[in-house]
Amino acid sequence: MVIVGQHRTLSEFATSAWSGHDQLDGLDAVIMAIAKGSYKVSQKIRAATLADVLGVTGETNVHGEMVQRLDAASSDIFVDILRQCGHVAVIGCEEIEEPVIVGDDPQHAFMVLMDPLDGSSNIDVAVSIGSIFGIWRRSDNDRVTDASLLRPGNEQVAAAYIVYGSSTVLVVATRNSVQGFTLDPESGVFVLTHPDINIPMECPYYSTNEGNFKALNETSRRAVKNLRAAYSQRYVGSLVADFHRNLLKGGIFLYPADRNYPEGKLRLMYEANPLGFVAEQAGGAASTGKQRILDILPEHLHQRTPLILGNRDVVEQTASLIKGG
Ligand code: AHM
Ligand code: MG
């Protein structure tokens, strides 16, 4: 059953909200490119086992074609589609060492940083995974270099993520609002299903890897114990899926620095900044425990960070415990 007719489509929303407005002019094309890419990725995910794309890069499938891992395939899909959309100057990608420079004509007004397939441990076990995008506006007439992407998260003009779960949902945040769209798998069209998302004040859930408890320092252990005492635990192990649930239902995600990851595990530019932006625009917060995520001045593209993300009050309380307050 095609449900598009009853809802406002992403394309209709994008044209009215994200084109012709100063800072956001052209954002509609970038978001539509992301949506188109995510439809292709969602189809690949659904067909993955049958299509034999879960193997290691370098294998050959029955058609004699090289088999691509799903994360490499997703990266290629989004890079191609963002290049072609005509509004993106440079792309930074978790899967690619160096930034992909597209061009610096005035119309190439946006810079995109992305984790094309988040939740690597869940890719081949049929559990929800996602894609994450941070979007910056290029300063007019600036030449685009590898260093152009090293900007703090508070300069993002938009951020988006897709969760490939029991349904495929695209959430887009700008400084005006956070909107959620669900993919109609028959038509390939996204429709507005979650207008004006605000994170609930209540915080029923905390999401953290409890298996890491012994590797935490004393203050982080205290913070986790505090969460245990107050909330139910939910942990998918795909950041996008954990964040999406907490955004809609209320909750907090925590991945502190630990013995295995002294700088934290998650990536500042591809994961923490975009989801931190979404969280803040929805009334939540994002912190390292010591500072606001969006205030960090990045030193390199692939740097990691501790991350506390979600309900504002609980993020602040948890950060203060981790700081040793
Ligand atoms: P990835 O980008 O390779 O998928 O790694 C990031 C993922 C997040 O999606 C998730 O929150 C976290 O790693 C889970 O880590 P762990 O398995 O250590 O709990
Ligand atoms: Mg990831």
Side-chain angles (χ1 to χ4, degrees):
M1 182 188 63
V2 178
I3 53 161
V4 172
Q6 301 161 22
H7 294 270
R8 199 163 173 206
T9 65
L10 172 65
S11 162
E12 287 162 357
F13 190 95
T15 310
S16 67
W18 304 320
S19 74
H21 303 282
D22 276 1
Q23 283 293 297
L24 297 185
D25 195 24
L27 182 68
D28 55 330
V30 180
I31 298 295
M32 291 312 293
I34 288 171
K36 199 168 155 193
S38 73
Y39 178 51
K40 287 189 179 183
V41 171
S42 73
Q43 286 180 312
K44 271 205 184 292
I45 292 168
R46 303 265 173 258
T49 308
L50 297 173
D52 198 14
V53 289
L54 295 175
V56 176
T57 310
E59 291 177 3
T60 305
N61 69 14
V62 286
H63 308 290
E65 298 155 346
M66 293 296 280
V67 172
Q68 249 189 332
R69 284 173 51 106
L70 213 42
D71 39 12
S74 308
S75 170
D76 287 353
I77 287 172
F78 283 118
V79 167
D80 281 354
I81 226 153
L82 287 168
R83 257 180 203 277
Q84 286 162 18
C85 88
H87 292 266
V88 174
V90 56
I91 304 158
C93 174
E94 191 180 306
E95 296 288 325
I96 307 174
E97 193 57 34
E98 304 290 335
V100 178
I101 295 179
V102 182
D104 43 20
D105 292 345
Q107 75 179 49
H108 293 125
F110 295 96
M111 308 193 297
V112 177
L113 282 155
M114 64 177 179
D115 178 353
L117 207 60
D118 172 63
S120 33
S121 67
N122 286 325
I123 288 178
D124 49 3
V125 291
V127 172
S128 298
I129 47 185
S131 304
I132 311 174
F133 301 84
I135 303 171
W136 279 254
R137 197 164 178 99
R138 184 167 68 93
S139 313
D140 287 344
N141 304 322
D142 266 8
R143 264 200 60 228
V144 178
T145 66
D146 286 7
S148 304
L149 290 171
L150 294 178
R151 307 256 293 267
N154 60 31
E155 292 180 11
Q156 287 169 106
V157 292
Y161 68 82
I162 297 105
V163 58
Y164 310 100
S166 50
S167 52
T168 296
V169 178
L170 164 68
V171 172
V172 183
T174 63
R175 292 187 183 278
N176 298 327
S177 67
V178 181
Q179 307 288 341
F181 304 86
T182 302
L183 178 68
D184 175 4
E186 273 191 37
S187 62
V189 172
F190 281 90
V191 294
L192 182 62
T193 46
H194 299 75
D196 299 317
I197 296 172
N198 281 300
I199 189 162
M201 294 299 284
E202 271 172 63
C203 180
Y205 303 125
Y206 78 100
S207 311
T208 199
N209 184 336
E210 284 280 357
N212 291 343
F213 187 76
K214 286 202 205 97
L216 300 180
N217 69 19
E218 206 40 57
T219 59
S220 295
R221 284 187 196 184
R222 202 177 314 142
V224 171
K225 281 186 191 161
N226 190 58
L227 295 172
R228 274 183 200 158
Y231 313 114
S232 294
Q233 203 233 16
R234 295 282 187 280
Y235 192 67
V236 175
S238 295
L239 175 61
V240 168
D242 280 311
F243 176 69
H244 185 63
R245 180 200 49 250
N246 294 347
L247 181 71
L248 297 187
K249 305 277 187 195
I252 180 178
F253 176 92
L254 171 65
Y255 209 119
D258 62 25
R259 262 205 309 279
N260 303 320
Y261 293 103
E263 322 240 290
K265 178 182 181 188
L266 297 168
R267 309 285 179 159
L268 172 66
M269 305 303 278
Y270 312 114
E271 294 166 326
N273 266 340
L275 297 187
F277 182 87
V278 178
E280 286 200 5
Q281 298 311 317
S287 168
T288 64
K290 297 193 171 119
Q291 72 177 125
R292 180 185 175 219
I293 289 286
L294 301 189
D295 284 340
I296 299 173
L297 293 174
E299 285 166 21
H300 59 93
L301 274 186
H302 297 280
Q303 80 188 62
R304 298 177 189 269
T305 179
L307 179 62
I308 313 167
L309 182 67
N311 180 289
R312 173 171 295 282
D313 293 347
V314 188
V315 167
E316 281 168 10
Q317 198 180 57
T318 304
S320 127
L321 285 172
I322 287 181
K323 235 186 305 184

